[in-house]
Amino acid sequence: MRIATWNVNSVTVRLERLLAWLERSGTDVLCLQELKCDAAAFPTEALRERGYQAAVRADGRWNGVAVLSRVGLADVSGELTGAPAYEGVTEPRTVAATCGGVRVRSVYVPNGREVGHPHYAYKLRWLAALRETVAPEAAGDTPFAVLGDFNVAPTDEDVWDVSVFEGATHVTEAERDALAALRETGLADVVPRPLKYDRPFTYWDYRQLGFPKNRGMRIDLVYGNAPFVKAVRDAYVDREERKGKGASDHAPVVVDLEL
């Protein structure tokens, strides 16, 4: 089974690239983030024509998540336990489903904006709620993974130049502690480092030639429990999909399982 995660940065803008990538990559289950559409505008029919069911949570703003599957889609759930709200809104930032015997949860962690901003405190509360929600499944016997855009670089090696991020979000001790607490539920990072290149970044800013200069960050992660990790046979970042006109600023992260 091939499972992937991808911050598509608008599913409607990048629909043709998404459909082409699904066909080219042979992905069975795809976790999507940053849909930037409401549920009614999600391209359910175009995906169904290609054999994919979809579980979608979206409200038309800058967030939104989905799980696509061509190996079955069951036990769909969305909300976090004790999900925090931001400015009175509980945002659609996660959805979970069971696909072909594997449980996956797509997550789009709040950005945080800047240290000290209310959105930063919201980010930390959201990560704490995620930990509480996934703990039972992380400790279970069913293969389970949390995949998505975490908006946190786990280590200094996961950004192109940590000095550039001094005092900024994505690299703070509190954010990394929240990731560590999530892993302590029984989850492990399944993407090895190094890969075929020194730094397997997953995000590159559109500005200042970020991708050509490889000034990136590894913030799209796959955290699996013990049964999931045991089944992993390969994992990689599909940098090719970041190339060319109309690409998302994130690349897909792909994991192959033998179940």
Side-chain angles (χ1 to χ4, degrees), residues 8-91:
V8 73
N9 191 7
S10 178
V11 69
T12 53
V13 169
R14 260 162 280 284
L15 179 58
E16 292 307 314
R17 289 191 71 127
L18 169 62
L19 297 176
W21 185 81
L22 284 169
E23 181 175 358
R24 183 172 69 251
S25 67
T27 296
D28 299 300
V29 180
L30 175 60
C31 293
L32 288 174
Q33 302 86 41
E34 202 170 356
L35 303 182
K36 290 185 176 178
C37 70
D38 60 26
F42 188 82
T44 302
E45 187 58 35
L47 289 160
R48 183 183 292 118
E49 290 174 356
R50 289 157 177 82
Y52 290 89
Q53 297 173 272
V56 182
R57 293 192 70 231
D59 64 5
R61 300 202 296 174
W62 55 86
N63 40 51
V65 289
V67 174
L68 312 182
S69 174
R70 63 179 185 181
V71 292
L73 191 72
D75 302 322
V76 175
S77 61
E79 209 48 78
L80 299 181
T81 302
Y86 185 71
E87 296 183 339
V89 177
T90 302
E91 299 175 319

Side-chain angles (χ1 to χ4, degrees), residues 4-195:
T5 180
W6 188 11
N7 178 322
V8 73
N9 191 7
S10 178
V11 69
T12 53
V13 169
R14 260 162 280 284
L15 179 58
E16 292 307 314
R17 289 191 71 127
L18 169 62
L19 297 176
W21 185 81
L22 284 169
E23 181 175 358
R24 183 172 69 251
S25 67
T27 296
D28 299 300
V29 180
L30 175 60
C31 293
L32 288 174
Q33 302 86 41
E34 202 170 356
L35 303 182
K36 290 185 176 178
C37 70
D38 60 26
F42 188 82
T44 302
E45 187 58 35
L47 289 160
R48 183 183 292 118
E49 290 174 356
R50 289 157 177 82
Y52 290 89
Q53 297 173 272
V56 182
R57 293 192 70 231
D59 64 5
R61 300 202 296 174
W62 55 86
N63 40 51
V65 289
V67 174
L68 312 182
S69 174
R70 63 179 185 181
V71 292
L73 191 72
D75 302 322
V76 175
S77 61
E79 209 48 78
L80 299 181
T81 302
Y86 185 71
E87 296 183 339
V89 177
T90 302
E91 299 175 319
R93 291 185 173 273
T94 185
V95 64
T98 300
C99 309
V102 178
R103 185 74 173 165
V104 298
R105 178 172 287 276
S106 178
V107 299
Y108 183 31
V109 177
N111 177 279
R113 299 184 186 173
E114 59 185 46
V115 177
H117 193 284
H119 206 261
Y120 178 77
Y122 165 59
K123 180 179 190 174
L124 297 179
R125 293 196 305 272
W126 200 93
L127 283 165
L130 177 64
R131 181 190 189 281
E132 182 178 355
T133 302
V134 307
E137 292 176 313
D141 296 329
T142 298
F144 169 70
V146 184
L147 311 88
D149 179 357
F150 283 75
N151 270 314
V152 183
T155 73
D156 287 355
E157 290 298 308
D158 293 309
V159 295
W160 69 275
D161 183 351
V162 72
S163 67
V164 174
F165 297 88
E166 185 175 354
T169 59
H170 293 60
V171 299
T172 66
E173 183 177 356
E175 291 167 293
R176 288 175 173 176
D177 285 349
L179 276 192
L182 181 65
R183 293 192 298 269
E184 287 169 2
T185 64
L187 300 174
D189 190 340
V190 307
V191 180
R193 291 187 295 123
L195 297 181

